[in-house]
Amino acid sequence: MSNRCFALSENNHCRILTVVKCPGSTCSFYKTPEQAEESRRKANARLASLDKAYQKHIADTYYCGKMPWLKDGDGYDS
């Protein structure tokens, strides 16, 4: 497991927050890449569990009509 935060760029700048120096594991947004992937997997599972009409609404509103949380070719890219 990596101890490096998923949000750190190659030059050690945070890609999420506008901070001068990364506070490391004390940051409330800190996640390892593995934790970030697990969080993404859970979010995708939750979206996929919603009824189709609501999924379509979310896709149209936030994802240009695509449903990246579905693994059946509707834009899932993971």
Side-chain angles (χ1 to χ4, degrees), residues 40-67:
R40 196 173 303 114
R41 187 193 64 72
K42 286 180 180 178
N44 286 342
R46 171 70 175 120
L47 287 168
S49 74
L50 300 172
D51 69 56
K52 293 297 178 188
Y54 198 53
Q55 286 187 53
K56 179 160 176 30
H57 168 72
I58 292 170
D60 291 343
T61 303
Y62 300 105
Y63 295 93
C64 298
K66 295 182 180 169
M67 297 182 185

Side-chain angles (χ1 to χ4, degrees), residues 9-34:
S9 67
E10 291 76 31
N11 57 359
N12 290 327
H13 288 97
C14 183
R15 293 180 289 178
I16 296 177
L17 303 174
T18 55
V19 294
V20 176
K21 182 170 174 29
C22 174
S25 61
T26 62
C27 177
S28 59
F29 290 94
Y30 176 86
K31 289 183 189 175
T32 65
E34 293 83 5

